[in-house]
Amino acid sequence: MAARVSGLAVGFLCLLAMLSPSAQQSPPPDSPDLKSSIDTDTPPLPDIRPPPSSPRGYELDVPPRNVTCKDTDGKRPGCTGTCPRRCPQCIVLCPDCKTLCHDEVQMPRPVPPPAMLVFGDGQFDNGNNGYLEPPNYPYSGTGRLSNGANLADAIAYTIGFPQSPLPFMSLRGRISMWGANYASVGAGIRNSTNGERSIPLSQQLEDFRTTRALMGIMLGGEAKLRAYLSKSIFLLGIGSQDLDPRWNIHLANSTEIQSLVALYGEAVTSLYDMGARKLAIVNVGLIGCAPQIFDYRYGCDESLNDRAAAFNAALKPLMAGLASKKKGLFYSIGDFHSFTTTVFADPSAYWMVNIRDSCSFTDHPERTCSPQEEHWFWDSEFMTDQACRLTATAFYYGPPQFTAPMTFKALLEK
Ligand SMILES: *[C@@H]1O[C@H](CO)[C@@H](O)[C@H](O)[C@H]1NC(C)=O
Ligand SMILES: *[C@@H]1O[C@H](CO)[C@@H](O)[C@H](O)[C@H]1NC(C)=O
Ligand SMILES: *[C@@H]1O[C@H](CO)[C@@H](O)[C@H](O)[C@H]1NC(C)=O
């Protein structure tokens, strides 16, 4: 594995400071005081959400549109009175519905859970890999593979957080009570995937163990910690690297998918043992479909997509089995594979114009994606801000066919 810049020594000094008598009289954990004090010695990442004073958010230049909406199957009551641009759930709920779009329509921001803990790969990493030695994939400027929010950020905003949980590596042993992001570009379920140049899932879990210990001290004991974590959301999205033979040599073995699913189950069990009770999972998407950055030879490698589908199919009974055995465990699987398939089949219904080309060129910095560009792909593999927000919205609000056995919203309301 790549060398990690250790900030733990600093962290322990910090911890000692927190344990001093005056620190012990700090306010209870869910008081706004403590939650807002993100104690980090690195500059905070830019908040890529629009400032609250901006009335129209980041859709600034897009005129409101009224869209025709027909609730043909009678299953889309959420369609009424929402505005497609401002409230993308309308696009998701009713791509062919007629809905009047009023400027004043705003979805109330949900109340976020106490904390959000993120585990996964490049769809979710919001800066960790920039701290590896040597840095791995830092090229987007914000440490994300996106022109704005990545999927972890978009889910954080959708569930009500004003900012995405900070990358664990940037915390350098310090603590943010509202969570952290452990994801790493190129990370695998397997340690060996991607030549150990990323932070594999096993290490991400160890990193959470570090956070957890500090959180326990802040909260004043294991029982309080468990109560806090049981209401928090654990987001997990990993597997795309392990299912690609370029990055995982074990795929030559016909039992590899079963082995990966077994390792996934061990990771979920480990999270459960550490206190996770609400698990939001994002399955593996259409990893075979990727735009070519320069020559635009878009195509889908169906053998890769099929392998992802086989893995996803095995994920369902795995999770159902674990939930039946582990008391109090709730989960939702966001079906990234089927959502992408649906959008790609009719992009314009989802306000996507281009699903074939990436909108950025890493070798051509002058060519950058604007938020208004309705591209699915930001680079040759990862999604644009808009695609991430659309996906997050689908998993949170529904419709139900894109999550099982419940939406992320229902999971958070458990
Ligand atoms: C959208 O519908 C509203 C309400 O009927 C109407 O006032 C407005 O002019 C329409 N906007 C557009 C762009 O058609
Ligand atoms: C992966 O690495 C971790 C720590 O680096 C180790 O504890 C674990 O046993 C490894 N897992 C496998 C399956 O090799
Ligand atoms: C395939 O994987 C199984 C399970 O991990 C292992 O027992 C077996 O030895 C592997 N076979 C080969 C040819 O590597």
Side-chain angles (χ1 to χ4, degrees), residues 361-408:
F361 296 86
T362 50
D363 291 353
H364 291 252
E366 76 283 0
R367 177 79 178 84
T368 53
C369 316
S370 81
Q372 281 75 34
E373 247 178 316
E374 285 124 350
H375 281 250
W376 183 268
F377 287 106
W378 173 70
D379 71 353
S380 59
E381 185 176 354
F382 294 95
M383 293 188 285
T384 57
D385 175 285
Q386 181 158 344
C388 290
R389 287 173 195 259
L390 185 66
T391 306
T393 304
F395 292 167
Y396 184 75
Y397 290 100
Q401 69 262 31
F402 298 127
T403 43
M406 63 186 93
T407 59
F408 285 8

Side-chain angles (χ1 to χ4, degrees), residues 341-364:
T341 305
T342 306
V343 174
F344 283 17
D346 188 6
S348 64
Y350 294 86
W351 250 258
M352 282 287 154
V353 172
N354 187 326
I355 57 155
R356 292 178 158 245
D357 311 314
S358 65
C359 65
S360 78
F361 296 86
T362 50
D363 291 353
H364 291 252

Side-chain angles (χ1 to χ4, degrees), residues 147 159 170 341:
N147 57 325
I159 69 178
S170 78
T341 305

Side-chain angles (χ1 to χ4, degrees), residues 45-50 58 116 122-127 140 142-158 161-165 181 336 352 359 369-371 375-379 382-393:
L45 286 165
D47 184 355
I48 51 178
R49 257 188 99 74
Y58 93 117
M116 176 170 175
Q123 302 278 16
F124 302 88
D125 183 354
N126 64 355
S140 73
T142 66
R144 297 166 167 85
L145 296 173
S146 169
N147 57 325
N150 68 17
L151 197 48
D153 303 321
I155 290 172
Y157 305 151
T158 304
F161 285 99
Q163 200 191 333
S164 194
N181 184 322
F336 192 37
M352 282 287 154
C359 65
C369 316
S370 81
H375 281 250
W376 183 268
F377 287 106
W378 173 70
D379 71 353
F382 294 95
M383 293 188 285
T384 57
D385 175 285
Q386 181 158 344
C388 290
R389 287 173 195 259
L390 185 66
T391 306
T393 304

Side-chain angles (χ1 to χ4, degrees), residues 190 250 253-256 259:
R190 262 196 194 286
H250 300 284
N253 190 330
S254 61
T255 62
E256 176 61 2
S259 305

